[in-house]
Amino acid sequence: MERRIYGIETEFGLTHSAPQGRGLGADETARRLFAPVLAWGRASNVFLPNGGRLYLDVGSHPEYATAEAATLRDVVAQDVAGERIVDGLREQLQETFDAEGVGGTVHLFKNNVDSAGNSFGSHENYMIARRTEFSRLVQHLLPFLVTRQILVGAGRVHPTGPPAFGAFTPGDGAASYSFSQRADHIWEGSSSATTRSRPMINTRDEPHADAEHYRRLHVITGDSSMSQTTTALKIGTTDVLLRMIEAGQILPDRTLADPASALRQVSHDLTGTAVLELANGGQRSALDLQHEYLEAVTRFVQRHGSHHEHMDWLLELWERGLRAVEQQDFTLVDRELDWAIKKKLLDSYAAAHGMDYSHPRMVQLDLAYHDTSPSHGLFHMLERRGAVDAFITPEEAQHAREHAPATRASIRGRFVAATHDAGVNSTVDWVHLKLNGEHRQRMVMCKDPFATTQPDAEAMIEEVLAGRA
């Protein structure tokens, strides 16, 4: 596919901490957090004028799904916008608590694990052609997803060593650092489940588009990214690999004997050299497989050309990330890749205070890296100091908070804004726009995710703006 729709769904961690353990529970904190959303949209599950979806997920997790984006810059901007929108709710709640004398601090985390061993997700969505053989795509994609964490993992401290395979119990070995937060909570390669077995690829066929032509690939094994450049690399490398598979490129069979076990092996080995067993009896390391993918993609781009302006940047960072792991020189990527940025910060603190990863303070700093607060979050502290690279401009991020990308989301966003401003009762989902009148109902279906206008939708928006709805 020359054009593709991308989207990211992010579940946030939420907690209220107060002296003597008097903080509110997760359910109550989440309920209070979403009070402004309920007042605005009369529900805790709403679509916003920027085309994105904001809702309260199972387990009292705030979740934001980006609007449909058709460019790498737009999907990164939408992801950043989502973080800032949800953090805005946190700021409002903190102000409310301060005014009420509740005390304590409300924390919002863009990460994937909590102290009780629970995991919450970051899901990537890629529109693919219906004609693509899905089983072949999954076969080639799984080894890539297992090993790409050496580039785009969020990093995680294990104060007593990584947990045993198949258990959430703390480890009993030496303190360590791993590439990924999510890897210890994934149980199989692909299935239709999302919580019970947690596969890497969710196979439910929900295209949110014309099902005759499109399918949605739902990847749920990745970590949430604080770094814009990590997000761009994560989406960009997966996209170009999909493009190569869709084009019918012949790739060697690198099916893993046990993808879930391999996922953990890769996460816990910062050298990238752990031996992974292949289903055909062969063996490869994470570095071996990623070098194979990079070389194949590079040749493909040389033959067929770049399909966006960031391809040279993408391939250069991909290669440099692999070289950083291969040479164990993490300074090569400690401005761009989350796991390396965080490790540099933690290692610097540990050296200054004479401690290692077993110290409780290191776990606190690990979590604080993902705090979305502009003033308290450690990643945002590094942003202010100019210690990390950006992929988009501040103006692009701010624009994405208020405006949808140039896709179907722009129709939805204008409809949401118009009906809300006019006080008109409406219902919205990814594909449908519906006016709920006393005597009649009108609904339109927007099946083309690339369309920025649609006559019947425009007519309905005009009707609302003119006060005739």
Side-chain angles (χ1 to χ4, degrees), residues 22 61 84 104 127 143 161 184 195 212 243 272 290 296 312 339 421 461 463:
R22 295 174 181 170
H61 288 291
R84 295 183 180 180
M127 191 176 73
D184 293 323
T195 56
E212 183 178 351
R243 185 168 181 252
Q290 279 296 313
D312 288 343
W339 69 264
D421 291 346
I461 293 170
E463 185 178 327

Short mmCIF file of all heavy atoms in Angstrom, two decimals, residues 22 61 84 104 127 143 161 184 195 212 243 272 290 296 312 339 421 461 463:
data_model
loop_
_atom_site.label_atom_id
_atom_site.label_comp_id
_atom_site.label_asym_id
_atom_site.label_seq_id
_atom_site.Cartn_x
_atom_site.Cartn_y
_atom_site.Cartn_z
N ARG A 22 -3.32 7.81 52.46
CA ARG A 22 -4.70 8.28 52.41
C ARG A 22 -5.17 8.62 51.00
O ARG A 22 -6.19 9.29 50.82
CB ARG A 22 -4.87 9.49 53.32
CG ARG A 22 -4.65 9.16 54.81
CD ARG A 22 -4.69 10.42 55.65
NE ARG A 22 -4.45 10.13 57.06
CZ ARG A 22 -4.25 11.05 57.98
NH1 ARG A 22 -4.24 12.33 57.65
NH2 ARG A 22 -4.03 10.71 59.24
N HIS A 61 -8.41 2.59 33.80
CA HIS A 61 -7.33 3.18 33.00
C HIS A 61 -7.90 4.20 32.02
O HIS A 61 -8.71 3.84 31.17
CB HIS A 61 -6.58 2.11 32.20
CG HIS A 61 -5.73 1.22 33.04
ND1 HIS A 61 -4.59 1.66 33.65
CD2 HIS A 61 -5.84 -0.09 33.35
CE1 HIS A 61 -4.03 0.66 34.32
NE2 HIS A 61 -4.77 -0.40 34.16
N ARG A 84 -1.17 14.89 26.14
CA ARG A 84 -1.40 16.20 26.72
C ARG A 84 -2.87 16.42 27.08
O ARG A 84 -3.18 17.10 28.06
CB ARG A 84 -0.90 17.28 25.75
CG ARG A 84 0.60 17.21 25.56
CD ARG A 84 1.13 18.29 24.66
NE ARG A 84 2.59 18.19 24.52
CZ ARG A 84 3.32 19.00 23.78
NH1 ARG A 84 2.73 20.01 23.13
NH2 ARG A 84 4.62 18.84 23.69
N GLY A 104 -2.46 15.49 48.68
CA GLY A 104 -1.87 14.45 47.86
C GLY A 104 -1.62 14.90 46.43
O GLY A 104 -1.87 16.05 46.06
N MET A 127 -3.64 -0.04 8.75
CA MET A 127 -4.56 -0.49 7.73
C MET A 127 -3.79 -1.28 6.67
O MET A 127 -2.75 -0.81 6.19
CB MET A 127 -5.29 0.68 7.08
CG MET A 127 -6.45 0.25 6.21
SD MET A 127 -7.35 1.66 5.55
CE MET A 127 -6.19 2.24 4.32
N PRO A 143 8.49 -12.51 14.02
CA PRO A 143 9.90 -12.42 14.42
C PRO A 143 10.39 -10.98 14.49
O PRO A 143 11.26 -10.65 15.31
CB PRO A 143 10.63 -13.22 13.34
CG PRO A 143 9.59 -14.13 12.77
CD PRO A 143 8.32 -13.36 12.82
N GLY A 161 15.87 -9.02 39.59
CA GLY A 161 16.00 -9.85 38.40
C GLY A 161 14.65 -10.02 37.71
O GLY A 161 13.61 -9.82 38.33
N ASP A 184 7.14 -9.23 29.38
CA ASP A 184 6.87 -10.24 30.41
C ASP A 184 5.39 -10.56 30.56
O ASP A 184 5.02 -11.41 31.37
CB ASP A 184 7.42 -9.78 31.76
CG ASP A 184 8.94 -9.72 31.77
OD1 ASP A 184 9.56 -10.60 31.15
OD2 ASP A 184 9.49 -8.79 32.38
N THR A 195 -6.90 -9.61 26.48
CA THR A 195 -6.56 -9.60 27.90
C THR A 195 -6.31 -11.00 28.44
O THR A 195 -5.41 -11.21 29.25
CB THR A 195 -7.69 -8.94 28.72
OG1 THR A 195 -8.91 -9.64 28.46
CG2 THR A 195 -7.84 -7.49 28.33
N GLU A 212 -14.42 -4.84 2.22
CA GLU A 212 -14.11 -5.52 0.96
C GLU A 212 -12.68 -5.23 0.53
O GLU A 212 -12.04 -6.06 -0.14
CB GLU A 212 -15.08 -5.08 -0.12
CG GLU A 212 -14.90 -5.78 -1.45
CD GLU A 212 -15.91 -5.34 -2.49
OE1 GLU A 212 -16.86 -4.63 -2.15
OE2 GLU A 212 -15.72 -5.73 -3.67
N ARG A 243 4.85 -2.91 4.01
CA ARG A 243 4.83 -2.55 2.58
C ARG A 243 5.60 -3.58 1.75
O ARG A 243 5.18 -3.97 0.67
CB ARG A 243 5.44 -1.16 2.41
CG ARG A 243 5.38 -0.60 1.00
CD ARG A 243 5.74 0.87 1.00
NE ARG A 243 5.67 1.42 -0.34
CZ ARG A 243 6.73 1.78 -1.07
NH1 ARG A 243 7.95 1.61 -0.56
NH2 ARG A 243 6.60 2.27 -2.27
N GLY A 272 21.73 -8.30 22.87
CA GLY A 272 21.07 -8.65 21.61
C GLY A 272 21.54 -9.93 20.99
O GLY A 272 21.20 -10.23 19.84
N GLN A 290 17.18 -8.58 13.13
CA GLN A 290 16.96 -7.18 12.80
C GLN A 290 17.87 -6.71 11.67
O GLN A 290 17.46 -5.91 10.82
CB GLN A 290 17.15 -6.31 14.05
CG GLN A 290 15.94 -6.28 14.97
CD GLN A 290 14.73 -5.65 14.32
OE1 GLN A 290 14.81 -4.58 13.71
NE2 GLN A 290 13.58 -6.31 14.46
N ALA A 296 16.96 -6.20 4.03
CA ALA A 296 15.90 -6.47 3.06
C ALA A 296 15.10 -5.21 2.76
O ALA A 296 14.78 -4.91 1.59
CB ALA A 296 14.98 -7.57 3.58
N ASP A 312 15.03 8.10 4.76
CA ASP A 312 16.47 8.11 5.01
C ASP A 312 16.75 8.22 6.51
O ASP A 312 17.63 7.52 7.04
CB ASP A 312 17.15 9.28 4.28
CG ASP A 312 17.22 9.07 2.78
OD1 ASP A 312 17.05 7.91 2.33
OD2 ASP A 312 17.44 10.06 2.05
N TRP A 339 14.53 3.35 25.80
CA TRP A 339 15.24 2.48 26.74
C TRP A 339 16.65 3.01 27.03
O TRP A 339 17.14 2.91 28.16
CB TRP A 339 15.30 1.04 26.23
CG TRP A 339 16.17 0.84 25.02
CD1 TRP A 339 15.77 0.81 23.71
CD2 TRP A 339 17.59 0.62 25.00
NE1 TRP A 339 16.86 0.61 22.88
CE2 TRP A 339 17.97 0.49 23.65
CE3 TRP A 339 18.55 0.53 26.00
CZ2 TRP A 339 19.30 0.27 23.26
CZ3 TRP A 339 19.87 0.32 25.62
CH2 TRP A 339 20.23 0.18 24.27
N ASP A 421 -21.15 22.34 19.98
CA ASP A 421 -21.36 23.78 20.11
C ASP A 421 -22.84 24.14 19.99
O ASP A 421 -23.32 25.08 20.63
CB ASP A 421 -20.56 24.53 19.05
CG ASP A 421 -19.06 24.46 19.30
OD1 ASP A 421 -18.66 24.06 20.41
OD2 ASP A 421 -18.29 24.78 18.36
N ILE A 461 -23.45 18.42 8.59
CA ILE A 461 -22.71 19.39 9.39
C ILE A 461 -23.25 20.80 9.14
O ILE A 461 -23.45 21.59 10.07
CB ILE A 461 -21.19 19.33 9.07
CG1 ILE A 461 -20.61 18.00 9.54
CG2 ILE A 461 -20.45 20.50 9.71
CD1 ILE A 461 -19.20 17.74 9.06
N GLU A 463 -26.24 21.56 8.22
CA GLU A 463 -27.56 21.62 8.86
C GLU A 463 -27.43 21.97 10.34
O GLU A 463 -28.20 22.77 10.87
CB GLU A 463 -28.25 20.25 8.69
CG GLU A 463 -29.67 20.19 9.21
CD GLU A 463 -30.31 18.84 8.96
OE1 GLU A 463 -29.98 18.19 7.93
OE2 GLU A 463 -31.12 18.41 9.80
#
